């Protein structure tokens, strides 16, 4: 059974590759709301850059900015992925810029800067148009729910670090990038829940 699941995954990845173009973005939409989606206006909690073939560039906890395999990315989380194309981007320059960040640690406190990066920060700092200008301006970061109250999760998260919650600091999030007018959603790559079933 494990072999058949792996064969199915390989087939799905091949199908995904046929729908993707170098420089496309992959947005993860979790099956249920989490501490990221509950404080941002949208469904996405992760974004990665498709490099072509089976390669994806992303910033992930504990590993930082790395190149991962598409197959690994698609089976990592519950939920689904959607692919998106960025309009009027200089694809090769954007990817080249993103590759310059390889090896940096993950920015687990989501603060502006280039010593460590989180997923949407990697995209926000890398994508440029044909004039070399950044496509995605930073936004004021949100750690509050619909009532305007900073959620207990983030209060406790930053409290453990003896930091103030960086509410309103310049930053980015996957849902905001996904909602920008420059981003054209192409299609759902696959439901990834079943990719983790090996019984």
């Amino acid at each position: 059974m494990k072999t058949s699941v792996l064969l199915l995954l390989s087939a799905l990845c091949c199908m995904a590759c046929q729908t993707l173009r170098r420089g496309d973005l992959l947005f993860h939409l979790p099956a249920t709301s989490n501490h990221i989606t509950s404080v941002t206006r949208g469904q996405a909690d992760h974004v990665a850059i498709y490099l072509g073939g089976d390669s994806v560039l992303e910033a992930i906890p504990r590993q930082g900015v790395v190149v991962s395999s598409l197959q690994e990315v698609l089976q990592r989380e519950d939920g689904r992925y959607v692919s998106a194309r960025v309009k009027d981007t200089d694809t090769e320059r954007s990817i080249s810029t993103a590759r310059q960040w390889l090896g940096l640690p993950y920015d687990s406190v989501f603060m502006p800067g280039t010593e460590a990066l989180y997923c949407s920060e990697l995209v926000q700092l890398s994508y440029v148009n044909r004039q070399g200008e950044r496509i995605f301006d930073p936004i004021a970061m949100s750690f509050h729910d619909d009532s305007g109250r900073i959620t207990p999760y983030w209060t406790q998260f930053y409290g453990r670090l003896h930091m103030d919650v960086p509410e309103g600091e310049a930053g980015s999030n996957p849902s905001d990038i996904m909602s920008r007018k420059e981003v054209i959603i192409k299609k759902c790559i696959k439901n990834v829940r079943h990719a983790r079933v090996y019984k």
Side-chain angles (χ1 to χ4, degrees):
M1 184 64 174
K2 183 174 180 179
T3 301
S4 63
V5 171
L6 291 174
L7 288 173
L8 175 61
L9 278 173
S10 296
L12 286 167
C13 282
C14 287
M15 291 168 58
C17 289
Q18 292 170 10
T19 70
L20 291 171
R21 190 167 72 190
R22 184 171 161 84
D24 282 357
L25 298 177
L26 291 171
F27 292 94
H28 178 250
L29 281 58
T32 58
S33 179
N34 58 38
H35 56 272
I36 294 174
T37 59
S38 65
V39 297
T40 57
R41 297 190 179 279
Q43 297 176 295
D45 66 355
H46 182 61
V47 60
I49 301 167
Y50 180 63
L51 298 178
D54 188 42
S55 297
V56 172
L57 182 63
E58 59 181 347
I60 52 178
R62 293 180 294 280
Q63 294 186 48
V65 182
V66 295
V67 173
S68 306
S69 76
L70 177 62
Q71 180 168 322
E72 173 194 342
V73 169
L74 292 181
Q75 63 180 306
R76 183 188 296 144
E77 302 284 352
D78 291 345
R80 62 193 173 102
Y81 277 87
V82 296
S83 64
R85 199 145 291 160
V86 183
K87 291 193 301 184
D88 303 321
T89 185
D90 184 332
T91 301
E92 293 309 314
R93 186 169 178 179
S94 298
I95 288 176
S96 177
T97 301
R99 281 187 170 278
Q100 291 178 8
W101 309 118
L102 272 169
L104 283 183
Y106 184 75
D107 183 0
S108 59
V109 295
F110 310 104
M111 296 298 289
T114 56
E115 295 179 356
L117 299 177
Y118 56 94
C119 67
S120 57
E121 188 178 27
L122 172 66
V123 171
Q124 188 262 317
L125 291 175
S126 299
Y127 273 71
V128 294
N129 60 24
R130 293 181 179 89
Q131 290 72 47
E133 302 161 333
R134 284 185 181 155
I135 291 174
F136 305 114
D137 293 328
I139 60 165
M141 288 195 292
S142 164
F143 297 88
H144 64 267
D145 59 21
D146 290 338
S147 72
R149 180 168 143 299
I150 294 174
T151 63
Y153 174 88
W154 291 111
T155 300
Q156 293 166 15
F157 177 89
Y158 285 102
R160 288 192 296 270
L161 299 170
H162 307 289
M163 294 175 61
D164 292 330
V165 178
E167 177 78 7
E169 293 281 346
S172 64
N173 67 67
S175 287
D176 174 71
I177 288 178
M178 187 175 175
S179 69
R180 298 288 184 103
K181 68 181 187 303
E182 297 88 357
V183 174
I184 307 300
I185 303 299
K186 303 304 290 184
K187 69 178 295 182
C188 177
I189 298 297
K190 73 186 225 13
N191 290 324
V192 297
R193 175 72 178 172
H194 302 98
R196 302 181 71 178
V197 178
Y198 287 99
K199 296 180 182 178

